[in-house]
Amino acid sequence: MAVTAEAVLDALRVVQDPDLNRDIVDLNFVKDVVIEGGTVSFKVELTTPACPVKDELKRQAHEAVTALDGVDTVSVEMTAQVRGGQAAQGQTQGPPQLSGVKNLIAVGAGKGGVGKSTVAVNLALALLETGATVGLMDGDVYGPSIPTMLDNNEQPTGTGPNEIDPNQAYGLKLMSMGFLLDPEKPMIVRGPIVHTVVRQFLGDVKWGELDYLIIDLPPGTGDVALSLAQSAPLTGAVVVSTPQDVSLIDVHKAVSMFRTLKVPVLGLVENMSFYECGSCGNRDEVFGHGGAKAWAQSESIPFLGGVPLHASVAVGGDEGKPALVDERTPEHVRDAFRTLAGELARHVSILNMQAPAQPLIQIKGL
Ligand SMILES: Nc1ncnc2c1ncn2[C@@H]1O[C@H](COP(=O)(O)OP(=O)(O)OP(=O)(O)O)[C@@H](O)[C@H]1O
Ligand SMILES: [Mg+2]
């Protein structure tokens, strides 16, 4: 008996998305079922190309349809259509230039030097590597480090409102205060100017269609995060911590700032999790093990993963060749960033499938 499209869809109901707890047919992920004799082909359209369980879902889908009577050959193509919050749903509250940006994700921490910029850059590159379209906005108006970390310091082209072309490096669209200022001169940026700059970066840069716009925040709990939350519908924030910070007040401060701003905390990253010797590979857990993960769990925050303290990460950052695209960085260190990206994309998808994005916050007098 010839196989039917209904039978194929019925068979695929055994394939469950582990995060959304529904089957892929119910979620409308199965597209373009074509049956030619005993050959069945179809697409599974996930909510992110960075889905960590993509291969497993493909395997299960293949197996389920292969088991049907009358099927000889099965071809499964995995595709992705990143979902967004408000912007993608046509309820744009932010600037029109952001209407093609599906997810705005801020990377912050309670204090300086914990690796926010390093994590932001490598996260952006790891998402890009999966096939997503990605931008990186340097929200560190006072001390931009994106130009150095990506070895890109050109003056952006385009003039006037809504007309700035972002720079490009390694396939990322970029904007940084560093592109606009003389690197030799000290930067004096007052509070109100920060708000203007943030709004301009969001509203005047031609970001185009992006699955993810990653925003690197300055240290602490200040103006930039507030301006962002007031100016654009943020999908959420990633908080970076070092292992010893978890017992300190800083990471709590960052999380409670985002909560006050009604920005969902998408996850905690433990940077410099353990020291790994660049020459012998020896691992030393200087600050103990598992603290950040346990803390995240106690706060009901997803733990996105840890990144080792490895000399190659610092060298790559200084030379403008980030770890993820630097072949001198050991593969398992690069994989640590890939895991972060997969976990982040996963939690963004879960959030977007569950609840609409938060409205922009309004604070009287600001
Ligand atoms: N996992 C790592 N292994 C080795 N070095 C790292 C790692 N993460 C960050 N670094 C280095 O630590 C320094 C601080 O990192 P980074 O600039 O990313 O921190 P930051 O939190 O953005 O700092 P700031 O608060 O000044 O913006 C940099 O020299 C960077 O190369
Ligand atoms: Mg930084």
Side-chain angles (χ1 to χ4, degrees), residues 112-118 140 149 219 271-272 307-310 313-314:
V114 296
K116 294 175 292 298
S117 304
T118 304
D140 196 340
M149 294 183 109
N271 189 30
M272 313 192 202
V307 178
L309 173 61
H310 194 282
V313 175

Side-chain angles (χ1 to χ4, degrees), residues 94-315:
Q97 288 287 25
L98 286 180
S99 61
V101 178
K102 292 181 181 158
N103 293 290
L104 285 95
I105 297 161
V107 178
K111 68 172 188 182
V114 296
K116 294 175 292 298
S117 304
T118 304
V119 167
V121 165
N122 287 292
L123 252 183
L125 288 166
L127 288 167
L128 187 83
E129 192 185 62
T130 67
T133 48
V134 188
L136 180 63
M137 176 179 139
D138 192 344
D140 196 340
V141 176
Y142 315 96
S145 44
I146 298 300
T148 309
M149 294 183 109
L150 290 166
D151 189 23
N152 186 297
N153 212 350
E154 288 141 41
Q155 181 96 19
T157 54
T159 47
N162 313 330
E163 282 300 329
I164 303 171
D165 290 312
N167 286 5
Q168 299 251 4
Y170 300 106
L172 295 175
K173 289 187 182 173
L174 298 177
M175 189 61 206
S176 170
M177 189 73 170
F179 302 156
L180 307 173
L181 296 166
D182 184 344
E184 304 295 318
K185 293 197 179 138
M187 220 171 293
I188 302 166
V189 187
R190 290 178 207 277
I193 306 282
V194 169
H195 191 65
T196 310
V197 171
V198 169
R199 290 190 82 93
Q200 279 204 319
F201 281 8
L202 295 169
D204 290 349
V205 175
K206 291 194 271 180
W207 290 110
E209 300 285 321
L210 291 180
D211 293 326
Y212 305 99
L213 177 59
I214 306 293
I215 305 168
D216 178 26
L217 290 181
T221 48
D223 309 348
V224 174
L226 177 59
S227 293
L228 271 178
Q230 287 178 310
S231 311
L234 287 182
T235 308
V238 170
V239 175
V240 181
S241 155
T242 52
Q244 73 274 31
D245 281 346
V246 169
S247 54
L248 299 176
I249 201 92
D250 302 288
V251 68
H252 298 257
K253 262 201 247 167
V255 166
S256 65
M257 171 189 73
F258 287 122
R259 285 180 172 157
T260 307
L261 296 177
K262 306 251 184 304
V263 174
V265 178
L266 292 162
L268 181 76
V269 170
E270 186 184 66
N271 189 30
M272 313 192 202
S273 263
F274 52 87
Y275 169 70
E276 194 181 307
C277 174
S279 20
C280 68
N282 194 33
R283 176 178 167 143
D284 193 347
E285 286 174 348
V286 187
F287 303 109
H289 179 73
K293 190 172 183 179
W295 182 81
Q297 271 164 357
S298 72
E299 288 285 318
S300 305
I301 295 170
F303 180 68
L304 303 182
V307 178
L309 173 61
H310 194 282
S312 67
V313 175
V315 172

Side-chain angles (χ1 to χ4, degrees), residues 298-364:
S298 72
E299 288 285 318
S300 305
I301 295 170
F303 180 68
L304 303 182
V307 178
L309 173 61
H310 194 282
S312 67
V313 175
V315 172
D318 286 348
E319 291 180 2
K321 191 158 190 205
L324 199 96
V325 288
D326 188 347
E327 49 298 331
R328 294 169 301 180
T329 305
E331 206 53 34
H332 68 279
V333 177
R334 294 155 85 179
D335 282 346
F337 290 112
R338 293 184 179 114
T339 301
L340 298 184
E343 288 300 303
L344 172 65
R346 216 182 115 210
H347 288 286
V348 168
S349 291
I350 296 171
L351 189 76
N352 287 338
M353 293 288 282
Q354 283 171 349
Q358 298 291 333
L360 300 187
I361 65 147
Q362 303 289 341
I363 293 185
K364 274 196 172 156

